[in-house]
Amino acid sequence: MADKKPVNHIRLTSHPDGDAVSIRWGEADPTRRGPVVATLTEPAHRNVIGTHAGSYAVYRALAVAAGMLPQDHRADLKNTSPAAQIGPHPSWSNPDRIVSLDPWGAIAPQAFSAQAEQGIDFRPTIAVTRAHINLPELRDAVMAGRLKPDGDLLTANGDIKVVKAAVDPVWHLPGIAKRFGMTENALRRGLFEQTGGMFPELITRPDLHVFLPPIGGLTLYAFGDINSVSNKDIPLAVRVHDECNGSDVFGSDICTCRPYLAHGIEECVRTAQAGGAGVIVYLRKEGRALGEVTKFLVYNARKRQEGGDSAATYFQRTECVAGVQDMRFQELMPDVLHWLGITRIHRFVSMSDMKHDAIVRSGIEILERVPIPEELVPADAKVEMEAKKAAGYFTKGPVADATALTQVKGRGLDV
């Protein structure tokens, strides 16, 4: 009989053998703030619940389990520093302004070099690079004369110069709870129970106040001088866009998502060319954060109902399938704008009251709201637009009165 191999007992929680590295959320001095340590190479150093890479963490786990990735791998971060400098901004040291991302995430290797020298293994949660983008709609805008190539920001073939950043979610649980008007214990209990007990540390580790949820993050694209976006006196155009794979990537015409995204980019380019700047924020919240499967089920239900797809039953069919119309919770969305140091938006390319109200409540001023031109609305998407108009889900027409904007109270689905 062959000898049995010794059993390596697996710990089901992340209780450390020593003291974890401290995180003091909202500290202006990074040496006091401390890095987010979510790596598994040295469990005693971990100071968060969860691990890096958001929704990709499971793929990494699969790679380790399959023997394709050493479980003790340490990232070689040479030459990975940001291609453009962002911050620090005053908002980084306000614990109420930023609760869903780590403001020091892009410059963690530089800000926390002392901890790195002590052998603490941490990773950036934000990466900033430079690139070019090119969309057919922007080339059409050049052909139509709405945009004019300048040889720098926009070339004759439609290439657009951008600074872009990828941001993984990092949740400060006390701040998240406060943002939603609940106790931290209630938040922890809800997250634990409604994920099937995936993260027992939410209950067993009240000493850990930072959680890395396995959800999609966001990408932002900046047009013009990245340092201008934090200057409230320099014109700034902003489009906050929630993911719609069917429209954004594959051109499905049942909604206005890709047309509005392209329109937002056009506005950003035009503002940057006029001496201002533009920002597109793209959040991974497919199907109003209900998921693409739910979205397609709703499509079927809407189109097969008696009388066909209609504005009157547009939201009803969503609630029948998902139980709720929308789970995007725009309360967390303004965090990335505060990370950029934005305090005023001159042209907000959205008529969504949910987005507008969340941004204004967070302390950022909005001067004007820019709607999508009627000619850009696909024929099959008119049901969506009519449903939102009928329900009062967004403000019609551009608004330039900042005082009036702060009084808008309508809630509903986003555009």
Side-chain angles (χ1 to χ4, degrees), residues 8 70 75 95 114 162 205 228 265 271 284 318 331 355 370 401:
N8 293 320
V162 297
R205 295 300 307 275
S228 295
I265 295 174
T271 303
R284 296 319 196 284
T318 301
E331 287 84 351
K355 292 175 182 176
V370 182
D401 183 349

Side-chain angles (χ1 to χ4, degrees), residues 302 305 307-317 381-391 393:
R302 282 170 47 192
Q305 63 190 345
D309 197 9
S310 70
T313 59
Y314 180 88
F315 300 131
Q316 179 187 2
R317 297 311 300 148
K382 294 190 182 297
V383 169
E384 174 198 47
M385 297 298 286
E386 290 305 315
K388 291 175 179 178
K389 288 178 183 178
Y393 282 179

